[in-house]
């Protein structure tokens, strides 16, 4: 197998065993600090007109993305120049930093344990850390649906998409993808402050996630064959509801998960006190149960393992054909 395949495998195992370490030198945190610097500069300049705001956002986004790519590449090249094994170790660690499977599981399991202990207030609080909606008035079934929905939505951009970009273009490209993803999560909002500043970042994120979200959905459907979920319903809801979201990508995996578990996602929710109407995804065949959180996590891991297995197959075939 090629070097990058070993990088992916070791990085995934590291995430599986350790999870996401929170420290000031975490690449995603450093990317976030860079974005925050530009945003504070933007607010100080106080640009009034839409076009200059948009242009500032383009410069901000491209600066963060290309800086991330080249810093990662230089770091790997320099460490590889010192010693091959050191370069490999640096690649593995950087790749490990951009995989969020364990983080998703850990945060969702905090909600699960709160529900298991019948602690509604704690469950609401733990859910608030992983969703954007208001959680203070949610019931246990709504909390369960919100948790499962979050796992399924973040499966693509938190696990599958980074692996795909690393496989296609190496760790620097994987980090560049995470820079795009972080830009969207920090400035890709439709409000007075970010409407024009984050427009480019938001559209770029849609483009970057277009194929990964659909690949994620396909492998998620395949995962139902190994997890005992409802494959037929997963395919049905995916075909019917995969565009029931303002994002062209988010509902791809949500639809599969909703179908596989027999749940209904979406609908009306409050965000910062404002009622937001959203189309529903799936049919409520089953009542939300805390075990659905376990099922969603199981699907996430099996989906990732199937993708890595498929990548290994492609790598072996490519090596055999000397492509």
């Amino acid at each position: 197998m090629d070097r990058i395949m070993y990088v992916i495998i070791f990085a995934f195992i590291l995430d599986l065993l350790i999870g996401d370490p929170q420290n000031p030198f975490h690449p995603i945190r450093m990317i976030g600090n860079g974005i925050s610097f530009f945003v504070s500069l933007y607010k100080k300049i106080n640009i009034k007109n839409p076009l200059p705001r948009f242009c500032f956002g383009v410069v901000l986004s491209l600066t963060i993305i290309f800086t991330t790519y080249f810093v990662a590449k230089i770091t790997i090249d320099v460490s590889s120049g010192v010693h091959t094994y050191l370069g490999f170790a640096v690649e593995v660690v950087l790749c490990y930093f951009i995989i969020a499977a364990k983080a998703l599981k850990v945060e969702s399991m905090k909600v699960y344990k709160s529900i298991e202990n019948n602690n509604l207030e704690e469950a609401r609080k733990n859910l608030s850390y992983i969703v954007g909606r208001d959680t203070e008035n949610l019931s246990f079934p709504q909390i369960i649906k919100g948790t499962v929905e979050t796992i399924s939505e973040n499966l693509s951009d938190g696990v599958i998409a980074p692996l795909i970009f690393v496989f296609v273009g190496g760790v620097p490209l994987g980090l560049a993808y995470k820079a795009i993803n972080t830009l969207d999560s920090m400035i890709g909002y439709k409000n007075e402050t970010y409407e024009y500043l984050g427009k480019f970042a938001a559209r770029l994120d849609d483009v970057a996630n277009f194929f990964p979200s659909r690949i994620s959905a396909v492998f998620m459907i395949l995962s139902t064959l190994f997890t005992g979920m409802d494959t037929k319903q997963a395919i049905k809801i995916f075909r019917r509801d995969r565009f029931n979201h303002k994002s062209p990508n988010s509902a791809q995996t949500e639809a599969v998960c909703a179908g596989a578990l027999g749940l209904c996602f979406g609908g009306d929710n409050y965000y910062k006190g404002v009622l937001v109407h959203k189309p529903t995804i799936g049919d409520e065949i089953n009542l939300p149960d805390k075990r659905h959180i376990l099922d969603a996590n199981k699907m996430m891991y099996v989906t990732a393992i199937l993708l890595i297995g498929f990548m290994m197959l492609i790598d072996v075939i490519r090596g055999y054909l000397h492509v």
Side-chain angles (χ1 to χ4, degrees):
M1 288 190 299
D2 286 347
R3 175 190 176 109
I4 199 63
M5 202 63 242
Y6 286 106
V7 168
I8 289 171
I9 292 168
F10 277 95
F12 185 75
I13 291 171
L14 267 182
D15 180 74
L16 187 67
L17 297 175
I18 303 172
D20 196 23
Q22 295 300 316
N23 62 72
F25 303 104
H26 193 298
I28 308 306
R29 181 173 290 189
M30 294 174 75
I31 290 169
N33 290 338
I35 296 168
S36 296
F37 169 78
F38 276 101
V39 170
S40 63
L41 181 64
Y42 167 79
K43 289 179 178 178
K44 285 179 182 177
I45 297 174
N46 193 24
I47 302 171
K48 300 294 185 182
N49 296 325
L51 183 59
R53 285 186 175 190
F54 175 78
C55 291
F56 191 98
V58 172
V59 172
L60 185 166
S61 299
L62 294 179
T63 300
I64 292 294
I65 294 164
F66 283 105
T67 299
T68 299
Y69 179 89
F70 285 110
V71 167
K73 190 175 189 311
I74 291 168
T75 302
I76 292 168
D77 288 346
V78 169
S79 58
S80 296
V82 174
H83 198 284
T84 302
Y85 288 158
L86 177 62
F88 177 76
V90 169
E91 276 190 277
V92 169
V93 171
L94 288 176
C95 184
Y96 150 66
F97 276 133
I98 63 176
I99 302 171
K102 184 68 175 287
L104 268 173
K105 181 185 176 183
V106 167
E107 294 305 315
S108 63
M109 287 306 293
K110 289 178 183 177
V111 180
Y112 175 88
K113 289 172 183 175
S114 298
I115 297 169
E116 193 173 42
N117 295 329
N118 203 34
N119 191 331
L120 182 59
E121 288 306 316
E122 185 180 76
R124 288 168 173 169
K125 184 178 179 181
N126 285 329
L127 179 64
S128 71
Y129 297 138
I130 57 175
V131 299
R133 72 193 65 173
D134 299 343
T135 63
E136 58 268 21
N137 296 313
L138 298 184
S139 63
F140 277 130
Q142 290 172 318
I143 291 169
I144 291 166
K145 286 204 293 185
T147 306
V148 174
E149 195 174 338
T150 296
I151 295 169
S152 63
E153 180 181 0
N154 287 283
L155 164 69
S156 179
D157 58 13
V159 184
I160 303 302
L163 292 176
I164 291 172
F165 277 95
V166 170
F167 182 71
V168 170
V171 174
L173 188 64
L175 277 161
Y177 164 76
K178 289 305 293 183
I180 294 171
N181 202 231
T182 307
L183 280 159
D184 179 58
S185 66
M186 290 183 68
I187 64 173
Y189 298 105
K190 289 185 177 181
N191 57 32
E192 188 177 347
T193 304
Y194 299 114
E195 171 72 30
Y196 296 101
L197 177 71
K199 189 180 290 291
F200 178 78
R203 297 292 78 79
L204 188 60
D205 185 73
D206 287 342
V207 172
N209 282 295
F210 185 86
F211 290 111
S213 65
R214 286 149 180 81
I215 293 170
S216 298
V218 170
F219 278 92
M220 202 173 187
I221 290 171
L222 290 175
S223 78
T224 63
L225 299 172
F226 300 90
T227 55
M229 310 301 172
D230 193 334
T231 306
K232 185 177 179 180
Q233 189 70 3
I235 295 171
K236 173 188 172 183
I237 300 302
F238 169 69
R239 293 178 65 185
R240 192 189 75 188
D241 295 346
R242 66 186 185 275
F243 295 117
N244 286 5
H245 199 285
K246 63 179 181 179
S247 162
N249 305 316
S250 294
Q252 303 291 322
T253 48
E254 286 185 36
V256 175
C257 189
L261 301 181
L263 297 176
C264 181
F265 298 155
D268 297 347
N269 276 292
Y270 283 90
Y271 291 80
K272 296 182 179 179
V274 179
L275 180 63
V276 177
H277 301 283
K278 292 183 177 181
T280 57
I281 300 170
D283 299 324
E284 194 149 332
I285 297 170
N286 300 313
L287 294 175
D289 186 277
K290 63 180 185 291
R291 68 177 171 80
H292 287 129
I293 297 174
L294 303 179
D295 291 340
N297 278 316
K298 188 190 300 182
M299 288 177 66
M300 173 183 67
Y301 274 109
V302 174
T303 300
I305 291 168
L306 286 173
L307 176 70
I308 292 172
F310 183 70
M311 288 175 173
M312 290 171 66
L313 179 62
I314 291 176
D315 193 61
V316 169
I317 293 172
R318 189 167 57 187
Y320 179 78
L321 297 175
H322 304 290
V323 176

